[in-house]
Amino acid sequence: MQTYARQPVSFTHGEGPWLWDTGGKRYLDALGGIAVCGLGHAHPAVTAALCEQASKLLHTSNLYGIEWQSRLADRLSALSGMDRVFFSNSGAEANETAIKIARLYGHARGINAPNIIVMQGSFHGRTMATLSATGNRKVQAGFEPLVQGFVRAPYNDLEAVRAIAANDPSVVAILVEPVQGEGGIVIPDADYLNGLREICDANDWLLMLDEIQTGMGRSGKWFAFQHNDITPDVMTLAKALGNGVPIGACLAHGAAAEVLTPGTHGSTFGGNPLACRAACAVVETLDQDGLVAKAAATGEFMQTALGQRLADLHGVREVRGMGMLLAIELDRPCGELVTQALQAGLLINVTAERVVRLLPPLIIAREQAETIVNTVADLIEAFLNTDN
Ligand SMILES: *Cc1c(COP(=O)(O)O)cnc(C)c1O
């Protein structure tokens, strides 16, 4: 079905940050399948894990123990400080799990119609509950009636959340992205998550972080909340977790980890041996190769270099970023830059109409980071000079 306005190109294979199209042309990938391919393409460790597991066992069922699922859960828990994990096949499903946890948690406290605070400009997925949670009318339009149970607040506004806390006893949780990804790499104040944590503690609410885009090292820490000195009650992951193998995860801590009990949730495919083995290889590689620290360093280099080239240009509103989540916000819609970059052999993305978004693989070398910076800066300069 025609759900995507596609670029006129198809790729046959990749290696590291490079992709080749059906005509043999090579591209540098500064999008990584939208924050999925943190290790780049055809990473040998992931390929080896997949091939070996495929020759042994693809799937049994969650009716039985799954060794690689347990290993992955242990690894993710140790890295994040969380206690339990539910595995799904996508980000939206991971968020559905979080929403179900919040609702059960509310009902257990005698709140029959529990509400979750969600933010303006957020993105949480395309299923009915997650599009209802999403703060973008374009995602929701035409799909009414929306799922109930969400209360909206402006992003990066603690006072607005405190005002809801004072007036609405039906709230049981906050669902929020540490950095808004689809919303345009919107980075809140440094103490925003700490403030939300305090409000949640004071009201017995669950703090639920959507780290589907920010997680697995992209922010320069394993998880973006680790830039703050907090632990969330719930955290969702997907995108980079399998480096392209579909897998999502909902992690929970403390009381939130005990909410789901046998029969309350499930998934046929979720956490199967193939996906979990691949994700274990991803975690292992990120760890062994020091890629989380590398993401912080490369991201800082790119943000500084982009700032030097672009920040003072008329038409550039802001250059910003956190690790390998990078954005150049312009003062006008700039979707055509995507096609121009493609012609120049570079994959980029424009989100929220005016924001050039870069989500390169964490593995890129300094030289490739420089190529991305120079190509993007040249394209934006030319675009701003010719656009009226
Ligand atoms: C991509 C994304 C989702 C949705 O993930 P899918 O795998 O496409 O369902 C949810 N939340 C955030 C923050 C995302 O970036």
Side-chain angles (χ1 to χ4, degrees), residues 62 86-88 93-101 104 250 260-267:
N62 283 306
F86 177 87
F87 289 103
S88 63
E93 281 176 85
N95 282 339
E96 289 274 347
T97 309
I99 292 163
K100 285 180 73 173
I101 288 174
L104 270 187
C250 178
L260 293 178
T261 51
T264 53
H265 198 36
S267 169

Side-chain angles (χ1 to χ4, degrees), residues 34 89-93 95 123-126 177 181-182 210-213 238-239:
I34 316 186
N89 312 287
S90 69
E93 281 176 85
N95 282 339
F123 181 79
H124 297 298
R126 298 284 195 159
E177 295 158 272
E182 302 304 302
D210 180 343
E211 293 241 19
I212 290 165
Q213 191 154 153
K239 294 203 162 85

Side-chain angles (χ1 to χ4, degrees), residues 242-263:
N243 208 57
V245 177
I247 181 169
C250 178
L251 293 79
H253 176 257
E258 309 305 326
V259 167
L260 293 178
T261 51

Side-chain angles (χ1 to χ4, degrees), residues 114-317:
N115 271 305
I116 300 168
I117 296 179
V118 290
M119 304 304 164
Q120 289 170 8
S122 64
F123 181 79
H124 297 298
R126 298 284 195 159
T127 60
M128 280 309 307
T130 59
L131 76 82
S132 300
T134 290
N136 178 349
R137 271 306 295 164
K138 277 193 195 161
V139 173
Q140 299 171 338
F143 298 108
E144 297 81 5
L146 301 181
V147 173
Q148 298 181 358
F150 299 103
V151 180
R152 200 155 310 274
Y155 191 60
N156 194 26
D157 185 343
L158 291 172
E159 273 318 309
V161 177
R162 284 191 197 105
I164 295 171
N167 293 310
D168 191 343
S170 67
V171 172
V172 297
I174 299 174
L175 175 63
V176 61
E177 295 158 272
V179 172
Q180 288 189 332
E182 302 304 302
I185 313 292
V186 183
I187 301 167
D189 296 340
D191 64 350
Y192 180 55
L193 292 184
N194 300 73
L196 292 179
R197 179 71 272 176
E198 275 170 31
I199 297 169
C200 285
D201 288 343
N203 293 280
D204 272 332
W205 297 349
L206 302 179
L207 179 59
M208 310 200 297
L209 299 182
D210 180 343
E211 293 241 19
I212 290 165
Q213 191 154 153
T214 53
M216 307 311 294
R218 180 154 295 277
S219 78
K221 301 270 189 189
W222 275 97
F223 309 103
F225 78 79
Q226 291 169 334
H227 292 278
N228 300 71
D229 193 18
I230 60 156
T231 305
D233 299 293
V234 174
M235 170 175 71
T236 52
L237 299 172
K239 294 203 162 85
L241 181 54
N243 208 57
V245 177
I247 181 169
C250 178
L251 293 79
H253 176 257
E258 309 305 326
V259 167
L260 293 178
T261 51
T264 53
H265 198 36
S267 169
T268 297
F269 293 133
N272 87 8
L274 187 75
C276 288
R277 176 95 191 249
C280 280
V282 170
V283 173
E284 217 48 59
T285 305
L286 286 169
D287 190 19
Q288 277 173 13
D289 295 356
L291 291 173
V292 180
K294 181 172 172 147
T298 312
E300 196 178 312
F301 163 76
M302 290 181 73
Q303 196 187 327
T304 306
L306 285 165
Q308 282 165 356
R309 284 282 314 261
L310 293 171
D312 296 331
L313 226 62
H314 184 71
V316 175
R317 284 234 174 105

Side-chain angles (χ1 to χ4, degrees), residues 35-56:
V36 167
C37 302
L39 303 181
H41 303 284
H43 193 287
V46 180
T47 304
L50 281 169
C51 289
E52 199 191 308
Q53 193 57 40
S55 72
K56 280 189 176 160

